[in-house]
Amino acid sequence: SVKWPLDYLLKCYIPGDKADPDDDVLYAQVGDGGADHGSWGRPEEMTMARPAYKLTASKPGSDLAMEQAAAFAAGYLVFKDICNDASYADTLLDNAKQLWEFAIAHQGKYSSSVTAASGYYQSFNVTDENCWGSLWLYKVTGEQKYLDEAKKWYDPAPDWGMSWDDVIIGNQVLMYNLTGDSQYIANIEGTFNDWMPGGSVPYTPKGLAYRLQWGSLRYASNMAAAALLAAESGVHPDEYRKWAQCQIQYALGDGGR
């Protein structure tokens, strides 16, 4: 269910006065990474302390806030256009807009404010997330200020690999999808030229684009999804679909053992 994680994210965000984003609170992490990684039982059997860490005006995390604003904006489209739940959709959009304002007003990496996260999920910058959240707000509202902000943070360079800390290829595809400006096609091509055979990403003997040993299927699968979205936007549809299919089929077991 899409609603379950959105409900959780709504509980993590405590909006302040709409006119003053300084009052907002966003809970960024529950639990201690060391203790959690040291426990290999069921969640119901975990009895250790579960501290909660929050972001505020004085301890910002615009990267995490923008990711969450993007999730709310995407959720808005689902519940408005597919689920026909206008009330819940409006709640998501209101929270997305206010969280975006909070992020813009208070820039910073969440892992610098929540040091308990830095040893496991360190953030390396805020630029791609600032663009990502702004693009999704532009997609659902059409308000120019969101597109203007997205362009300020946009990165045209080839993407290292889409993951929890990297949405550069997502920005490239979405920017082209929303603007129709052909200049962004070259950025998408640059990313996938780097990822396809002959680029900088190495391949396993049976064809997996092997970016990193930690969660290698994650990177390949995420980039395959981005390739499919680019193909849907008319960017090298046959080539990108074929490459994405090969990566997903490998992940599902076609490569054998």
Side-chain angles (χ1 to χ4, degrees), residues 16-232:
D17 188 334
K18 285 190 176 182
D20 185 8
D22 287 356
D23 294 335
D24 289 16
V25 173
L26 176 61
Y27 280 89
Q29 176 173 311
V30 178
D32 176 84
D36 289 356
H37 279 69
S39 176
W40 292 91
R42 299 183 304 158
E44 293 84 357
E45 296 172 344
M46 298 170 74
T47 58
M48 77 284 280
R50 305 287 292 171
Y53 303 89
K54 63 185 178 181
L55 302 172
T56 63
S58 60
K59 290 188 174 183
S62 53
D63 45 3
L64 187 64
M66 280 295 194
E67 287 276 17
Q68 193 155 319
F72 287 155
Y76 163 81
L77 293 176
V78 172
F79 284 91
K80 171 180 173 288
D81 298 335
I82 300 174
C83 299
N84 296 316
D85 188 341
S87 177
Y88 190 68
D90 289 344
T91 296
L92 293 171
L93 183 56
D94 287 345
N95 279 268
K97 289 179 176 180
Q98 191 161 348
L99 196 49
W100 184 88
E101 296 287 352
F102 175 61
I104 291 297
H106 304 291
Q107 290 288 305
K109 297 186 296 183
Y110 93 101
S111 56
S112 296
S113 296
V114 180
T115 55
S118 61
Y120 298 90
Y121 295 101
Q122 182 179 1
S123 177
F124 289 93
N125 59 55
V126 302
T127 54
D128 54 326
E129 290 88 359
N130 283 343
C131 181
W132 184 243
S134 300
L135 281 174
W136 276 101
L137 263 298
Y138 177 66
K139 181 177 177 68
V140 303
T141 68
E143 294 182 32
Q144 186 65 35
K145 71 174 183 178
Y146 296 119
L147 181 59
D148 292 342
E149 193 67 31
K151 288 181 177 180
K152 283 170 52 178
W153 300 100
Y154 179 80
D155 187 346
D159 191 2
W160 184 88
M162 192 171 188
S163 69
W164 56 270
D165 189 41
D166 185 335
V167 289
I168 289 174
I169 182 58
N171 290 332
Q172 293 171 351
V173 173
L174 192 54
M175 184 71 85
Y176 173 62
N177 183 268
L178 293 174
T179 66
D181 192 330
S182 61
Q183 68 173 307
Y184 299 114
I185 294 178
N187 306 152
I188 298 169
E189 291 173 333
T191 288
F192 286 110
N193 286 344
D194 210 35
W195 269 84
M196 290 185 179
S200 70
V201 178
Y203 276 70
T204 67
K206 292 188 176 181
L208 175 69
Y210 189 78
R211 170 51 84 189
L212 195 67
Q213 73 271 31
W214 302 110
S216 56
L217 293 181
R218 160 188 50 180
Y219 296 108
S221 298
N222 288 346
M223 295 304 291
L228 291 173
L229 291 172
E232 287 297 310

